[in-house]
Each structure stands twice: as structure tokens, then as C-alpha cells.
Amino acid sequence: MGRYLLRRLNLFIATSLVLIAILFFATRLFPAELNYALSGIALPTSEQQLQIQHDFALDKSTLRQFFAYSAERLSGNFGISVTSQRPVSGELLGVLPASFELAFVAGLLALIVGVPLGVISALSRSKSLQKLIMAVTLTGYSIPVFWLGLLLSLWFGVQLGWLPISGQINLLYQIPKVTGFMLLDTLLFDGTYKWAAFIDALQHIIMPACTLAVLPFTVVVRITRTAMISVMNQTYIRAAEARGLSNTSIILKHALPNALIPLLKHLGLMLGPFASYAIVVEVIFSWPGIGAWLVSGIYQRDYTVIQGGIFAVALVIIFFSILIEVLYTAANPVSRKDMYGTN
Amino acid sequence: MELSKLHSPFGKLSDAGVFELHNLIMNNTTRCFRSAFTLMCVLACLTGCEQKQLPDGLVYCSEGNPESFNPQVVTSGTTIDATSHQIYNRLIDDDSIRNDFVPALATSWKVSDDGMTYEFTLREDVKFHTTPFFHPTRKMNADDVVFSFDRIVNSDNPFHNTALRGFPYFESIGFAKLIKSITKLDDYRVRFVLNHPDASFLANLATDFAVVLSKEYAEQLLQQKKPQLLDSQAVGTGPYQLVEYVKNEYIRYLRNPDYWGVQPEATQLVFDITPRSTVRLSKLIVGDCSISALPKAGELPVAREHDELEVDSRPGMNVAYWALNTQKPPFNDIRVRQALAYAIDKRSLLNAVYHDTAVVASGILPPSSWAYPNDATELSYDPQKAKELLASAGVKHLTIDIWAMPVARSYNPNPQKTAELLQADLNAVGIHVNIISFDWSVFTQRLANSDYDSVIIGWSADNSDPDNFFTPLLSCGSVNSHNNWAKWCNKDFDQLLSQAKDITDKEGRKQLYRAAEQIVGEQVPLIPLAYAQRMLLKRKTAPAVTLMPFGGISFDATTAANTSGGQH
């Protein structure tokens, strides 16, 4: 297992290096002066100019420049934002938690609703119920998220006026940032309007989280269903039945854990599309996360923000893909066999 | 054979088992759903039935990020809205209703007979904001006033060069050349001496740009070697003090407890930065903000469907126009410019872009200005004449770039659509048009640095003086100030403007501005499109906001009831 983990770590580092290399070369293609694209300082003083030149080894060979670039970026120096003239790393840390919060709530929602529905549709003998569930998930899978988001906000926000459709919380609540997760922060907040603030934050997250949950939800239902059907046909299930185990215990103890293993694998594969959906959802619902921040940076030709945003998003995806793969291997006894065989 | 025999009973058994299981699960799930439903009802009750306890305050949905927190260094309305009337005060204010100047930080002022010397007497009870980073030890006095203006006119002032883009408004009116000296007479008296008389001087001091900064704070920053913070970590004398600014998200202000004027009732003021106007509207509907800026004309019917919303509007002191780069061929040919003016149909533009909430522009001055000529006539829509003029100028297969702003401004709610309509009109007379656009903060920068053909832009007046429409927009002195987008310079026109500034007689000035308008009408450096209404959407429970025909929004002495944001 130790060797396997080392290999995964190696994969993580190698992929990150490739990512940095791509960013490094892409930065040179920006239609702006190199030290401006690297640092974000519009009119550097000669002192700053020298500093930038020194930090990024601009007078050395390309290879040295690449190492200097990697060192700067990995140590958290992303330069300053072209538009706000504040450090990009600070802005990045400010927007990341909101994105994690939204992704976490949406993912949780998808699993809590999706897994039971998948199990039901696998075990149900009613053809019409099966078809209904499949039809719903297929529809959900094929609806473009930007359209769905707009439609939902039009219904619930503009026409009915039930739910807030943008932002994280009513801005009159002055919630100090502790974790950056608004739901947690409102609970940690000690003031007279603590619960009102929590409920307000909850209302604000419902629409974006539901919209973002649609894609993973449909995938969860379909994968759970297929996996469940194939597991239920395994002989050990029949053996369990023959021994007279209760139905609930057969499903929850013997069938479901095995059916969840392929689900885990698919969740890992889904991270990329999930992240791009999250960016779209954040923009539609003005969710103050990294997606909305990155898109506004792109519109404003904010080169340092673009680099920092892409770096952070890609790094997070790489990290979680590998984490899920490790979890998958740890949870799946079959894959442990070939752990030493390949890569 | 044996195998299948063995299997089939198992299979049946298993099928039956699954069936039972299914029933069991279905029962369980119904129970689950029922409890989930109850939970949701409870939650809904918690959220819906219970009256929300919102903290006291007012949320204003604004349209963009401010570029700075000091109005001296900008001209953009978004920044003015966020700073000028909230954080700062001016020496005097321009009362748009009485059309007269009223005291602000200065209690009284005297003008010498030759119109060259102005003496201001200051209030003695004004304190600057006390913030975590600055604790004023003294009241505001003449030093602060001298510092605030010295910074603009004196290039040796250490804070003159911290303004990276200069002082665009003051440069456009030639302020540095106008001022001979600014002296402190005693602690509460300041004297301005001018190089030549200027009838618009008081009006310029009353603009949103001419704010008073703290000299003590500036000295503290200089000691800390952080002079550039003067324009971002703002300290002023206004009704609200800046607490926090998060880019793309919000600006939070708290009431200034030491405010010298009438204390605003809302303890908190929040600018909710929402660039898209549909999102602003929806935030207003669900109650996340009580007042919302710059509605698109097409959204007004939606707002009227909701009983709890109302539209505040009044004629604005503004003009939307299409500026032609008169220094670049073929636009240096007057016939081409005239042809373009004849080629566009302003009526359909008004209908599509403004939904008929605006008035067709005949010249630069809007009807709400006192110098507006009542007999103004506009160039009619005549594509045939346009073609003839183009032919006589010998221009064929003309392709022009139109730069269109990406954001709504008070004078033009939808510049992109305006550009598309112009494109169609010009296509009809055989001119090909490319529309160019960037995000706002990049837009002006790029435009300033590029060799553009034409731009759809506009002007909102900063004060009630008619000169504010002419000198910044079309005078020779403003060609390099990035306000004269036509890059137009005409000696006769400038002559008229300086004559109009020298005299104080209103009727005489009106005649001179009428003559100036005529030159613009003949020379067509720019094509006026429309005079727009200033509009705000607000919840009925929100307090009345003074919407002035010019200048930034002011929440001075405004309040929001406790419930204004919360009810659905």
C-alpha cells in the first residue's frame, strides 16, 4: 500500500508540473508585456521592475525561468490582480471556500437523493416506475445547466419571488469570516440574529445547489441502478437469501456497499465536468466563488487572476481525482490485487 | 441440466425476495419522504412564517466595481456613486431644485468684484472619520482644504503623482491653469485666487469630484511610506465611513457617528455589486436589496407587475452621443460626418433602446439645463441625403469600427444594442460596421490607447453649469484628457466658450451657448442620440432617495425600515 501511495503522489506531482508548464508557456502568449502578465503591476517602478526580473529570472535561460516561475507560483506568489491591484493569492483564498461550500452541498444533495432512487429503480418490479425514474434522469442529464439555472431563477426568483437567486446571504448580515463556509460561519457567529442569518444563508444556497446537483444526481442514479442490478444477480446475494437474512440487511450490508464502489470511480471521472458546471452555476447565481471570480477576470483581461484561477481549479481537480482513486483502491479489494502489477 | 434445475428454484426465490424487498423499501421510502416533507414544511415555516430579523440597514444594488475610493482621480459614475456623497463632502453643494449653491463644509463665501478671488469660511465642527487605521486628533480646518486642492494643482505635492491616472475631471476643465494660488487666511478661512475670471468656478467646486481630504491622514500615510493608500483606504467627513470593500461582491459602510449634518437613520449602508441588471431586478424582488440602480427600459414592465416595487425617475442632465474621431480620415471630412448623422434613425433607436423613456437629442445640452435653446432643431433622418454626401466626399466601401460600452450607463441603458441599430442603419447606406467591446475597466483604457474610429458614449453632468457639457467634451484643451472622444478642436467654438465663462449674465451666456451648439450642429464632431431619464427601482418600503438630475447617488439622511429587505 505504501508503494502504491508513493506512486499516486508521484502522479500528482508530475501532473501538477505539466500543468505549471502549460501555464508557463501560455503566459508568454498573452497579448501583454511579460513582466506585466507575470506580476500584474501596471506601471512598475524601476525597483519593482528589478524585483520582477529577479523573481522570475527573466534574464536567464528558459529552463531557469520555468523553475523560477514554478517556485514563485508554488510558494503562493501569484502577483497582484490587474484590476483591483490586490494580491491574487489573497483573493483566491477569499473565493475558494464559497466554491467548496456550494460543491459540497450539491454533491451531498445528489448522493442523498440519488443513491436511494437508484436502489429503488434497480429493485422495483414496476416497469412504469423504472421508466419514470430513467426518463427523469435522462432529461436531467441532457438539460444544459445554464438554461436550467436561468429557468429556475425565473420561476422561483422573479415570478414567484420565493427564493433568493443570487449571492450567498443578504448583505445586511455582517458575518465575520472564520471558515469561509457561509453556513458554518453563520452558526459560529455569536449575535442576536444568528439563526435568521443561518436561515437566510440556507435559502440562498438552495437554488444554486439544486441546479448544480442535477448533473451528479442523474449520474448517481444511473450508476447505482446498474451496479445494484449486477450485484443483486451475484451468487453471494442468493446465498445470503438462502441463509434467511432479512431483506434490509441483505441490501444495506451486502449489496449496497459493493454497488457503491463503481459509483466512487464514476464520481472521480465526473470531477472535470462537475467543476465546469460549477463555474457556470456560480456565474448564473452570482455565487461569490472561484468560478464567478475567474470568469470576471477573463472578461477584464486580468492576466494574473486568469493564471491563478486556472492553476487553483486544475490543482483541486487533480488532487481530488487522485484522492478518489486512492479511496477507490482502498475500498475495492479486487483492485488491490493488481496494485503492484501496473503503474 | 442439473445446474439449471438447481438454479431455477433459487432464481424464483430470489425474485420473490426482491419483490418483498421492494415493497419493504417502498414503505420505508414513503415514510422517509413523509418525514422529509414534514422537515421541509418546518423549514419553510421557519423561513417563511417567521418575520425575518434583519439588522438595520440599507442595501443598494450597484452596477459595478469602483476604480478607486477618491472621486478626485476618476470620472466614472460608478465610482462617484460609491464615494462622493457617502464618504466625503464638498465645500459647497449644488441644489438642483433651487438651482443654486448651498453651504456644505463652507458656511459662506465671498467673490471679489473682478471675479478672480474667492474666499470661503469653513464650518468649525467637522470631524474626519475615526477608523481602525486613523484617529483624527483635530477638527477639519483650512489646512485640509488647501491640501485637497493643492494635491490637484501642484505637481510638487507628494500626493500629486500617487494618482496614477491623474485627475481627469480637473484636467479636462483646465483647473491647474485656472488656479493662481490657494492660501489659508486663518484656521477656518481659505482664499482661492484665479488667473482669469471663470463663471463656472463655483459650479466646479460643487461637483462630486471636488471633495475635501484629511491632511493629517495624508501625513500619517507619508510617514508610514504608504501614500498610495490615500485613494483606496478612504477617510472623509461624509455621513458614512468605509468599512470593507470586497471586489465583485460588496462595499460596506457604517454610519459616521460624528457626522456634522443630519445623521442618516440607517446604521449600515451596503452596495451590493451586481453588474447584470436582470440580477439586480431579481434581488430587488426577493428583497436582497431595497434600491437598485440603472434598470433597463425593458425591465420596467416586469417591475410594474410587482406591487411592492416602484420606479423613481426624473429627467437627467445627460446626453448619449456617438463621437467620431475627427483626427482620423475619413472622419476629418465634414461631409462624411454629416452623412453619418443623416444616416441614423434616432426614433427607432429611442424606441428599441430606451423603450421611449428618453427624448431625441437635438444638441449637447439637455432640456433640463437652463441654457437649453427652446428652438433647437435636429438633423432629420434622410438616408438618401447621406448617400449623396458620401458620394460627393468620394468615399466608397467605407468600413468603420464602433466601440460600444459593455455596461449600462444612466444616459444609455444598452450601448450594445445601440451599436447594433446603428450598424443596421449604416448598412442601409452602404457602410460596413464592426462593433468592438471590452469589459468596462479595460474598455476606457484600451479606447484611450487606440486609434479608434468612433465610440458610443455619453456624458452625465457633474453640475448645473452648461459649461460642463462643452469644455470637458469638445474644447481644444480637453483633446488629450480622454473626455473629448471626438478629438475635435475648433477655435471659434473655444472662443465662444471662454466668452461665456467670463460673463455672469445668464441670458447672455445662454445666447453664447446657443451659438456654440450651432457650430457643433454644423461641424458634427459627434452625433447626439438621446437625453435619458435617470431611473431607480426601489421597494416601496425603502426610503425616498434624492435622485438628482446630475451627480452621484446620495443616501444622506435616508433610512431603510427594518423590514425593508426581508419580507417576501
Side-chain angles (χ1 to χ4, degrees), chain A residues 164-182:
Chain A
I165 54 165
S166 66
Q168 237 179 339
I169 193 167
N170 187 317
L171 289 171
L172 285 179
Y173 297 108
Q174 198 176 352
I175 307 293
K177 238 178 192 169
V178 185
T179 59
F181 284 55
M182 191 52 87

CSV table of all heavy atoms in Angstrom, one decimal, chain A residues 164-182:
chain,number,residue,atom,x,y,z
A,164,PRO,N,-34.2,33.6,-2.9
A,164,PRO,CA,-33.2,34.5,-3.5
A,164,PRO,C,-32.4,33.7,-4.5
A,164,PRO,O,-32.1,32.5,-4.4
A,164,PRO,CB,-32.3,34.8,-2.3
A,164,PRO,CG,-32.6,33.9,-1.2
A,164,PRO,CD,-34.0,33.3,-1.5
A,165,ILE,N,-32.0,34.4,-5.6
A,165,ILE,CA,-31.3,33.7,-6.7
A,165,ILE,C,-29.9,34.2,-6.9
A,165,ILE,O,-29.3,33.9,-7.9
A,165,ILE,CB,-32.1,33.7,-8.0
A,165,ILE,CG1,-32.4,35.2,-8.3
A,165,ILE,CG2,-33.4,32.9,-7.9
A,165,ILE,CD1,-32.9,35.4,-9.7
A,166,SER,N,-29.4,35.0,-6.0
A,166,SER,CA,-28.0,35.3,-6.2
A,166,SER,C,-27.4,35.8,-4.9
A,166,SER,O,-28.0,36.2,-4.0
A,166,SER,CB,-27.9,36.5,-7.3
A,166,SER,OG,-28.5,37.6,-6.7
A,167,GLY,N,-26.1,35.5,-4.9
A,167,GLY,CA,-25.3,35.9,-3.7
A,167,GLY,C,-25.4,34.8,-2.7
A,167,GLY,O,-26.1,33.7,-2.8
A,168,GLN,N,-24.7,35.0,-1.6
A,168,GLN,CA,-24.6,34.0,-0.5
A,168,GLN,C,-25.5,34.3,0.6
A,168,GLN,O,-25.9,33.4,1.4
A,168,GLN,CB,-23.1,34.0,0.0
A,168,GLN,CG,-22.5,32.6,-0.2
A,168,GLN,CD,-21.0,32.7,0.3
A,168,GLN,OE1,-20.4,33.7,0.4
A,168,GLN,NE2,-20.5,31.5,0.6
A,169,ILE,N,-25.7,35.5,0.9
A,169,ILE,CA,-26.5,35.9,2.0
A,169,ILE,C,-26.9,37.4,1.9
A,169,ILE,O,-26.3,38.1,1.1
A,169,ILE,CB,-25.6,35.8,3.3
A,169,ILE,CG1,-26.5,35.8,4.6
A,169,ILE,CG2,-24.5,36.8,3.4
A,169,ILE,CD1,-25.8,35.4,5.8
A,170,ASN,N,-28.0,37.7,2.5
A,170,ASN,CA,-28.4,39.2,2.5
A,170,ASN,C,-27.3,40.0,3.1
A,170,ASN,O,-26.8,39.6,4.2
A,170,ASN,CB,-29.7,39.4,3.3
A,170,ASN,CG,-30.2,40.8,3.2
A,170,ASN,OD1,-29.5,41.7,3.2
A,170,ASN,ND2,-31.5,40.9,3.0
A,171,LEU,N,-26.8,41.0,2.4
A,171,LEU,CA,-25.6,41.6,2.9
A,171,LEU,C,-25.7,42.4,4.1
A,171,LEU,O,-24.7,42.9,4.7
A,171,LEU,CB,-25.0,42.5,1.7
A,171,LEU,CG,-24.5,41.7,0.6
A,171,LEU,CD1,-24.1,42.5,-0.6
A,171,LEU,CD2,-23.2,40.9,1.0
A,172,LEU,N,-26.9,42.6,4.6
A,172,LEU,CA,-27.1,43.3,5.9
A,172,LEU,C,-26.5,42.5,7.0
A,172,LEU,O,-26.1,43.1,8.1
A,172,LEU,CB,-28.5,43.7,6.1
A,172,LEU,CG,-29.1,44.8,5.3
A,172,LEU,CD1,-30.5,45.1,5.6
A,172,LEU,CD2,-28.3,46.1,5.5
A,173,TYR,N,-26.5,41.2,6.9
A,173,TYR,CA,-25.9,40.4,8.0
A,173,TYR,C,-24.4,40.5,7.8
A,173,TYR,O,-23.8,40.2,6.8
A,173,TYR,CB,-26.3,38.9,7.8
A,173,TYR,CG,-27.7,38.7,8.0
A,173,TYR,CD1,-28.5,38.3,6.9
A,173,TYR,CD2,-28.3,38.7,9.2
A,173,TYR,CE1,-29.9,38.1,7.0
A,173,TYR,CE2,-29.7,38.5,9.3
A,173,TYR,CZ,-30.5,38.1,8.2
A,173,TYR,OH,-31.8,37.9,8.4
A,174,GLN,N,-23.8,41.0,8.9
A,174,GLN,CA,-22.3,41.2,8.8
A,174,GLN,C,-21.7,40.0,9.5
A,174,GLN,O,-21.6,40.0,10.7
A,174,GLN,CB,-22.0,42.5,9.5
A,174,GLN,CG,-20.6,43.0,9.1
A,174,GLN,CD,-20.2,44.3,9.7
A,174,GLN,OE1,-21.1,45.0,10.3
A,174,GLN,NE2,-19.0,44.7,9.6
A,175,ILE,N,-21.4,39.0,8.7
A,175,ILE,CA,-20.9,37.7,9.3
A,175,ILE,C,-19.4,37.7,9.2
A,175,ILE,O,-18.8,37.8,8.1
A,175,ILE,CB,-21.5,36.5,8.6
A,175,ILE,CG1,-23.0,36.6,8.5
A,175,ILE,CG2,-21.0,35.2,9.2
A,175,ILE,CD1,-23.7,36.5,9.8
A,176,PRO,N,-18.6,37.7,10.3
A,176,PRO,CA,-17.2,37.6,10.2
A,176,PRO,C,-16.8,36.3,9.5
A,176,PRO,O,-17.4,35.2,9.8
A,176,PRO,CB,-16.7,37.7,11.6
A,176,PRO,CG,-17.9,37.3,12.4
A,176,PRO,CD,-19.1,37.6,11.7
A,177,LYS,N,-15.7,36.3,8.7
A,177,LYS,CA,-15.3,35.1,8.0
A,177,LYS,C,-14.4,34.3,8.9
A,177,LYS,O,-13.3,34.8,9.4
A,177,LYS,CB,-14.5,35.6,6.8
A,177,LYS,CG,-15.1,35.0,5.5
A,177,LYS,CD,-14.3,35.4,4.3
A,177,LYS,CE,-15.2,35.1,3.0
A,177,LYS,NZ,-14.7,35.7,1.8
A,178,VAL,N,-14.8,33.1,9.2
A,178,VAL,CA,-14.0,32.2,10.0
A,178,VAL,C,-13.5,31.1,9.2
A,178,VAL,O,-12.3,30.9,8.9
A,178,VAL,CB,-14.7,31.7,11.3
A,178,VAL,CG1,-13.8,30.9,12.2
A,178,VAL,CG2,-15.3,32.8,12.1
A,179,THR,N,-14.5,30.3,8.7
A,179,THR,CA,-14.1,29.1,7.9
A,179,THR,C,-14.3,29.5,6.4
A,179,THR,O,-13.7,28.8,5.5
A,179,THR,CB,-15.1,28.0,8.1
A,179,THR,OG1,-16.4,28.4,7.9
A,179,THR,CG2,-14.9,27.5,9.6
A,180,GLY,N,-15.0,30.5,6.1
A,180,GLY,CA,-15.3,30.9,4.7
A,180,GLY,C,-16.6,30.1,4.2
A,180,GLY,O,-17.1,30.5,3.2
A,181,PHE,N,-17.0,29.1,4.9
A,181,PHE,CA,-18.2,28.4,4.6
A,181,PHE,C,-19.4,29.2,5.2
A,181,PHE,O,-19.4,29.3,6.4
A,181,PHE,CB,-18.3,27.0,5.1
A,181,PHE,CG,-17.4,26.0,4.3
A,181,PHE,CD1,-16.1,26.3,4.1
A,181,PHE,CD2,-18.0,24.9,3.8
A,181,PHE,CE1,-15.3,25.4,3.3
A,181,PHE,CE2,-17.2,24.0,3.1
A,181,PHE,CZ,-15.9,24.3,2.8
A,182,MET,N,-20.2,29.9,4.4
A,182,MET,CA,-21.2,30.8,5.0
A,182,MET,C,-22.1,30.1,6.0
A,182,MET,O,-22.4,30.6,7.0
A,182,MET,CB,-22.0,31.4,3.9
A,182,MET,CG,-22.8,32.6,4.3
A,182,MET,SD,-22.0,33.9,5.2
A,182,MET,CE,-21.4,34.9,3.9
